[in-house]
Amino acid sequence: MRTPSQQVARFGLRSFRAKFVIVVGSAVLFDLLVTGGLALWNVRRLSQDATAEVGQGLEEANQGYIRSYAETTAEHVNLLLNRVHSDVNTLAGVLQAQIDGPPMATQIGEAVARSAPGTVEVVYDAKGGWAQNLPGPPSVVSVWGYLLGPDHLPVPEVQKDIENSTVLDLIAPSLLANGLSKLQMYYIGPKERPIFRTAPYTDQAQTFDKLYPGHNSAEFWTFFFPGLYESWEQWAKDPNQRPVDDDITQTAPYTDAITGKLIVSFFQPLWSRDRTKVAGAAGTDITLDQLAEIVENVKVADNGFGFLTMSDGNVVAINPIGEKIMGLQALSDTGGEGVTGLSRSLRRSIQPEIAQLPLGEDGLLRHILLDENGEKVPYLVVLKQLQPTNLWVSGPVGREAMLLGIIVPEREIYASLFAAQAGISKATNRILIYQVLALAVSLCFVIGAVFAISKRITRGISALADAAKRIQAKDYSVRVDIPTHDEVGEAGLAFNRMAEQISFHTENLEQLVDDRTKEIEEANLQISALNQKLRSENLRLGAELAVARRIQMMVLPKAGELEEITDLEITAYMRPADEVGGDYYDVLKDGERLKIGIGDVTGHGLESGVLMLMVQSIARALQEAGDMDPSQFLNSMNRAIYKNLVRTSTNKHLSLAFLDYDGRRLTLSGQHEELIVVRKFGKVERIDTLDLGLPIGLEPDISPFVATREVTFDRGDMIVLHTDGVTEAESPDGELFGIERLCESAGRRYGLSAEDVKNGIIDDLMAHIGTQKIHDDITLVVMRHR
């Protein structure tokens, strides 16, 4: 039993335990204080860095969102304007065709005059001094006093213009009823004969008398649109003088004489046959509401809004709240001549920073301060330039690129940023409090633990230190014997296991490295061999497919062959879904006789492409053998294809139809997709081929099912052949192109060349498909009787 003096000595200042407690306790205490202080400092710095990073990221994200929103909205406005341009182009194209083809214009005018005399007969108004047709026709035509003769009737040239312009009655109702909503569409004659025909019918001249006194005795173009006609005349001399490479000319917003609404007019000048003079204009009006609707529906955060402004700062579209925030003042601007416009300029804004916005910078993003009830409120403004256009205000036509603006309060667009910064600050303060508490608890625990375990730890420390020195001296046979079962004892056991593992790995390290190296080398050799084999196979398959596609394209009719056919215009389009397609078309000529074939092999790819080549080869052989009878031709074709399919064990067949033409008659045989015939005035006839045959290759004998049908094919008629890859092409929404769309696309291009009709249909088809993957081969053949 130890005496008290021995126990005191054991815990004296010179004892190992006392030294251990002092040294370890001081070191741990210092470490806790240093690490705790560093942790607190790092937490504070991390908070500041996180706040800065989150702030920068959210600010960039929000600004990117605003820019993207502005670009998307600008595209919507551009799309609306493009749709208007398209309708004006359509109307102008018809009217220009009237000018370029006087006989056709005369025939149409005379036909309309006979069937609807009210559209060409005008009645003189003694009070107004002008003449106008009575209500009833689809359009109203106004003839000003200086275009009338002594008998108050239009002079002959003016009457001829009145009759020729009746084509507006034929096309304007359809254009007004479809596409973008339009207020009215019209034709205005040249400067020397400016008759004014407008659809739908309105009290046109009467309304002009009320709003524009004296107009009837003034030259129309100079009175209403000073400088516009003169600009067009310069364009006729030199098209490069157009500010924007387009004939479409847009007006600034003005008050419509008929409806009293704010409108924007879109004109396209018409040209003389030799393209050296202006021959009038086609035009349409849309209300400013249609442009304003897109802009006024801009909704960013809670109170963000959009506006549309001309490049001179005149705002043409904005909601009432945005107008108030921006401090705009609307004024009526007559300008002393021309139509009545609207002036609402940014430059007259009562907000200085709005008045000073640089309108020439596309994509401008700026922070501004606006005065609200005596308080400066920060806002974010973005400006995005629209596509440029030719603009008439009053005088020569100039280049105009309107700007779409979006303004949003910073407190709303950066609400997430402010919330994130507040959250980070709150979390930082909480962490700091917890860190201080944890540090205090750690200090108490460490002090107690050092005293509690110092006795047990010191027993095995020396043994472990000695053993460690021997390990350092590369004596891996060393082991320690610590009888205690506490942490020091576990450290001793762990030390012994570590020493054993070090000894084992040291003795066997080189062998393990060699074995693993060999395994890696063998695996690399196998991978290299597989990669080389895969590359070779891919090259072989690619070469085979390329050869097959080249052979397939080589056997198609050449342009030179088709041009030799004097009575017909024939053109075609073929696009395989894979490298090799399964669609078939051919034009076989035997003297004055023609055989035009079209077919579709089931599926697509290499097998389908080979079957297509079989069909082409057999058809050519039958032609050379003189076997041109429609029914016998199909029966012979089927027998040969059926036997080839049996021999090759190919589970394929094809729909196939032929048109035989001998210069007078057109005979249809075989089963395929519907035959589309476009006749005079774009009338479309669909001919079903279901009862004219059977798919080729299904049965050894199809003679009981083969039939023929005579098809009327007069001059000017057009035939469209197609495979199901056209009608079954899908849009990104999964909607099929369909036979109705195909018929409509072909019908409205009646009168054009076969090449133009084909290109137009393909343009409509590709616009419908968009980004959707093409799943089937596409083939289109257009044949027009000259």
Side-chain angles (χ1 to χ4, degrees):
M1 185 174 178
R2 295 192 181 101
T3 63
S5 61
Q6 289 176 325
Q7 292 179 359
V8 173
R10 184 175 182 82
F11 289 96
L13 293 177
R14 295 184 179 182
S15 66
F16 180 80
R17 185 181 179 190
K19 294 178 180 178
F20 174 84
V21 170
I22 294 172
V23 173
V24 174
S26 299
V28 173
L29 181 60
F30 177 81
D31 183 70
L32 284 174
L33 291 174
V34 172
T35 55
L38 288 174
L40 294 175
W41 180 78
N42 283 329
V43 167
R44 176 62 67 180
R45 182 172 181 179
L46 178 62
S47 171
Q48 295 173 348
D49 292 343
T51 301
E53 288 292 330
V54 170
Q56 181 179 357
L58 286 176
E59 183 174 5
E60 292 176 355
N62 286 325
Q63 291 181 2
Y65 166 74
I66 292 294
R67 290 183 188 273
S68 177
Y69 195 103
E71 292 173 357
T72 301
T73 307
E75 286 303 316
H76 286 175
V77 177
N78 285 334
L79 179 60
L80 181 145
L81 297 176
N82 287 337
R83 292 174 65 189
V84 177
H85 287 194
S86 177
D87 288 344
V88 175
N89 283 330
T90 301
L91 176 60
V94 174
L95 294 172
Q96 187 66 56
Q98 293 281 91
I99 296 171
D100 293 341
M104 179 181 67
T106 301
Q107 292 173 6
I108 293 176
E110 292 175 352
V112 175
R114 288 193 302 270
S115 61
T119 195
V120 298
E121 296 176 357
V122 295
V123 177
Y124 179 71
D125 185 280
K127 181 179 179 181
W130 40 258
Q132 189 168 276
N133 62 330
L134 297 177
S139 68
V140 56
V141 59
S142 302
V143 184
W144 318 120
Y146 58 90
L147 301 177
L148 303 175
D151 56 357
H152 302 307
L153 294 176
V155 299
E157 290 184 351
V158 172
Q159 183 62 38
K160 183 177 180 181
D161 283 355
I162 293 173
E163 293 176 0
N164 290 346
S165 67
T166 56
V167 73
L168 190 73
D169 288 10
L170 303 178
I171 62 172
S174 176
L175 292 174
L176 288 168
N178 298 283
L180 183 70
S181 176
K182 294 168 286 295
L183 196 62
Q184 55 196 13
M185 302 192 78
Y186 44 82
Y187 160 76
I188 306 175
K191 179 178 289 188
E192 58 272 19
R193 300 184 305 279
I195 67 168
F196 196 4
R197 183 178 288 275
T198 304
Y201 191 101
T202 59
D203 292 332
Q204 183 168 259
Q206 296 90 325
T207 305
F208 278 19
D209 284 348
K210 295 177 183 178
L211 294 180
Y212 303 108
H215 75 93
N216 186 46
S217 60
E219 201 284 318
F220 178 91
W221 285 104
T222 303
F223 184 89
F224 286 104
F225 303 102
L228 176 58
Y229 200 95
E230 289 75 11
S231 293
W232 289 345
E233 289 177 330
Q234 292 298 321
W235 296 0
K237 297 176 182 178
D238 182 8
N240 293 327
Q241 292 191 22
R242 294 177 299 179
V244 176
D245 187 19
D246 188 6
D247 284 346
I248 295 289
T249 304
Q250 172 185 334
T251 70
Y254 67 94
T255 302
D256 178 43
I258 297 175
T259 65
K261 295 182 178 181
L262 282 174
I263 65 170
V264 177
S265 293
F266 296 83
F267 293 106
Q268 176 157 335
L270 304 173
W271 310 105
S272 60
R273 294 178 64 187
D274 59 2
R275 299 301 188 269
T276 61
K277 297 180 181 179
V278 180
T284 189
D285 297 335
I286 67 170
T287 63
L288 189 60
D289 297 339
Q290 293 172 261
L291 282 172
E293 182 179 3
I294 296 177
V295 178
E296 292 174 4
N297 286 338
V298 168
K299 186 66 174 176
V300 183
D302 293 329
N303 296 295
F305 61 91
F307 64 92
L308 189 64
T309 177
M310 311 296 286
S311 60
D312 62 359
N314 186 26
V315 177
V316 298
I318 189 172
N319 63 39
I321 296 176
E323 184 175 0
K324 180 179 179 182
I325 292 174
M326 293 179 68
L328 301 180
Q329 298 175 338
L331 300 174
S332 179
D333 179 20
T334 60
E337 61 179 352
V339 293
T340 303
L342 172 71
S343 177
R344 184 170 48 190
S345 177
L346 294 175
R347 301 307 180 209
R348 292 195 305 270
S349 170
I350 62 176
Q351 299 282 3
E353 296 204 28
I354 292 294
Q356 297 171 7
L357 281 176
L359 301 180
E361 296 183 25
D362 185 21
L364 170 74
L365 188 148
R366 174 173 289 191
H367 300 271
I368 61 175
L369 293 175
L370 301 182
D371 184 79
E372 290 184 8
N373 300 320
E375 179 185 358
K376 293 295 185 180
V377 178
Y379 280 79
L380 189 66
V381 60
V382 176
L383 296 179
K384 178 60 184 175
Q385 213 172 68
L386 302 184
Q387 62 188 20
T389 184
N390 294 311
L391 176 73
W392 174 87
V393 179
S394 179
V397 175
R399 185 181 188 276
E400 172 62 28
M402 292 190 291
L403 290 132
L404 172 74
I406 292 180
I407 295 181
V408 60
E410 288 193 8
R411 64 176 178 272
E412 293 178 2
I413 196 64
Y414 293 140
S416 57
L417 169 61
F418 299 149
Q421 290 175 338
I424 292 173
S425 178
K426 184 177 179 180
T428 300
N429 293 334
R430 186 168 55 248
I431 291 172
L432 290 175
I433 293 173
Y434 291 161
Q435 193 78 7
V436 171
L437 292 175
L439 181 60
V441 172
S442 298
L443 287 173
C444 296
F445 176 81
V446 167
I447 293 172
V450 168
F451 280 96
I453 66 173
S454 59
K455 182 179 179 180
R456 299 181 62 186
I457 291 178
T458 55
R459 293 179 181 178
I461 293 299
S462 298
L464 288 172
D466 292 339
K469 290 179 180 179
R470 293 175 62 185
I471 288 289
Q472 187 177 10
K474 299 184 180 181
D475 180 5
Y476 304 121
S477 63
V478 64
R479 302 292 183 270
V480 294
D481 182 14
I482 301 176
T484 60
H485 298 288
D486 56 10
E487 291 81 2
V488 178
E490 292 178 0
L493 293 175
F495 181 88
N496 290 337
R497 288 194 295 270
M498 180 186 68
E500 292 174 359
Q501 292 176 1
I502 291 175
S503 177
F504 174 79
H505 285 292
T506 301
E507 295 172 358
N508 298 279
L509 180 60
E510 293 184 358
Q511 184 62 41
L512 290 173
V513 171
D514 290 342
D515 293 344
R516 183 54 57 89
T517 301
K518 291 180 180 179
E519 293 175 359
I520 292 174
E521 290 176 350
E522 292 176 359
N524 284 336
L525 290 175
Q526 294 177 359
I527 292 172
S528 298
L530 290 173
N531 284 337
Q532 184 62 35
K533 183 177 181 181
L534 183 59
R535 283 194 295 269
S536 300
E537 187 66 16
N538 284 339
L539 289 173
R540 183 185 67 79
L541 291 175
E544 290 179 356
L545 289 174
V547 171
R549 178 179 175 85
R550 180 173 177 82
I551 293 173
Q552 187 179 49
M553 301 308 291
M554 288 171 61
V555 301
L556 295 178
K558 300 298 185 291
E561 300 177 36
L562 302 180
E563 291 174 356
E564 293 176 358
I565 304 172
T566 58
D567 290 349
L568 305 179
E569 291 181 36
I570 303 177
T571 184
Y573 173 89
M574 175 179 282
R575 175 172 176 170
D578 291 332
E579 288 86 350
V580 182
D583 282 358
Y584 161 78
Y585 86 89
D586 204 351
V587 179
L588 304 175
K589 185 176 180 182
D590 181 19
E592 296 300 321
R593 299 185 62 182
L594 291 176
K595 185 177 285 288
I596 300 96
I598 188 166
D600 185 2
V601 182
T602 54
H604 46 84
L606 187 58
E607 285 190 356
S608 299
V610 171
L611 182 52
M612 174 269 194
L613 290 174
M614 292 183 189
V615 173
Q616 197 279 337
S617 300
I618 294 171
R620 176 65 73 180
L622 291 174
Q623 179 210 20
E624 293 298 324
D627 191 358
M628 297 293 282
D629 176 72
S631 299
Q632 184 61 35
F633 192 92
L634 276 174
N635 292 331
S636 301
M637 171 72 70
N638 179 73
R639 287 195 301 272
I641 292 296
Y642 181 82
K643 292 177 182 179
N644 276 352
L645 294 177
V646 171
R647 170 176 289 180
T648 59
S649 300
T650 301
N651 186 23
K652 297 278 186 180
H653 60 275
L654 73 150
S655 64
L656 183 62
F658 285 97
L659 285 170
D660 288 82
Y661 179 69
D662 59 3
R664 294 177 296 103
R665 296 178 302 172
L666 188 67
T667 305
L668 173 64
S669 61
Q671 186 186 96
H672 187 59
E673 304 294 326
E674 291 185 51
L675 179 73
I676 298 174
V677 184
V678 184
R679 304 198 186 277
K680 193 173 183 180
F681 302 120
K683 182 180 178 182
V684 177
E685 179 183 348
R686 292 163 54 181
I687 300 177
D688 194 355
T689 63
L690 185 63
D691 298 331
L692 300 181
L694 201 68
I696 302 298
L698 280 179
E699 298 292 338
D701 182 13
I702 63 170
S703 58
F705 305 99
V706 176
T708 62
R709 175 174 174 176
E710 298 293 327
V711 179
T712 304
F713 193 39
D714 298 328
R715 292 192 178 276
D717 288 353
M718 182 171 63
I719 288 179
V720 178
L721 304 173
H722 67 282
T723 61
D724 60 2
V726 175
T727 54
E728 295 179 4
E730 294 184 0
S731 69
D733 297 330
E735 182 181 1
L736 301 183
F737 187 71
I739 187 68
E740 290 79 8
R741 273 197 185 89
L742 178 58
C743 291
E744 189 276 335
S745 181
R748 60 187 165 88
R749 292 180 170 88
Y750 175 79
L752 301 180
S753 67
E755 181 70 17
D756 290 340
V757 173
K758 178 203 72 175
N759 292 337
I761 294 175
I762 294 303
D763 288 344
D764 291 346
L765 178 64
M766 293 308 167
H768 176 81
I769 294 173
T771 58
Q772 177 71 6
K773 176 180 174 59
I774 296 177
H775 300 287
D776 198 2
D777 306 326
I778 294 175
T779 299
L780 182 73
V781 179
V782 178
M783 182 169 66
R784 180 177 175 272
H785 198 300
R786 297 183 189 271

